[in-house]
Amino acid sequence: MSNPYINVELRRLVANRTDYICEYCLVSEVNRSSGCQVDHIISVKHGGSTTADNLCYACIFCNLQKGSDLGSINWQTGELVRFFNPRRDFWGEHFQLNAAVIQPITDIGEVTARILDFNGDERILERQALIAAGQYPSASAIKRINK
Ligand SMILES: [Zn+2]
């Protein structure tokens, strides 16, 4: 099992390259009193490494919901579907932002949005308030949406 410890240098690299936004729901760290955390995309428990290509920046809500999960079941097909991987997937290929709702457009998007609870009532209310304040989506988030 790889060492799960993420040193300061690696932490800084992960935060800087995302411009301090959650790579799942695209909320800026500055808009979260709880901040963001460095997440192992493939958890250490499943053999994921503590290297830049397996780490992403995630808000506490996304990170807590994701935990060590790797994916979920598509209930229409019964298939096991992996989560969106911020290192190899483009956000805009799996999700669309529809006002404050993050709409999944692929199976990968669907399991990710559902398990990470992108559209829970409180999170929609939070995004509505950020949109009204002109703080969501940020310029960095728009780059991911349109890529
Ligand atoms: Zn998030």
Side-chain angles (χ1 to χ4, degrees), residues 62-122:
C62 289
N63 203 12
L64 284 176
Q65 295 300 322
K66 180 175 172 284
S68 62
D69 292 359
L70 304 175
S72 187
I73 305 294
N74 172 327
W75 290 111
Q76 289 177 333
T77 63
E79 297 288 317
L80 178 63
V81 179
R82 70 171 174 87
F83 286 147
F84 167 75
N85 180 330
R87 293 283 71 74
R88 62 187 235 200
D89 302 321
F90 292 124
W91 198 93
E93 285 178 8
H94 296 282
F95 312 99
Q96 283 177 344
L97 191 59
N98 190 355
V101 174
I102 297 173
Q103 192 73 51
I105 52 177
T106 62
D107 285 356
I108 286 171
E110 192 281 321
V111 296
T112 307
R114 177 164 41 89
I115 299 300
L116 276 59
D117 195 28
F118 282 177
N119 297 307
D121 292 346
E122 287 182 19

Side-chain angles (χ1 to χ4, degrees), residues 22-27 32 58-63 118 123:
C22 171
E23 296 187 77
Y24 294 107
C25 72
L26 308 182
V27 165
R32 279 279 159 75
C59 74
I60 196 152
F61 295 102
C62 289
N63 203 12
F118 282 177
R123 298 185 70 185

Side-chain angles (χ1 to χ4, degrees), residues 14 36-37 46 48 53 71 77 85 94 103 107 118 126 128-129:
V14 172
C36 285
Q37 305 172 328
H46 293 289
D53 64 352
T77 63
N85 180 330
H94 296 282
Q103 192 73 51
D107 285 356
F118 282 177
E126 178 189 44
Q128 284 172 337

Side-chain angles (χ1 to χ4, degrees), residues 17-18 23 41 52-56 85-89 144:
R17 75 180 172 194
T18 69
E23 296 187 77
I41 297 166
D53 64 352
N54 187 45
L55 297 173
C56 73
N85 180 330
R87 293 283 71 74
R88 62 187 235 200
D89 302 321
R144 287 168 186 264

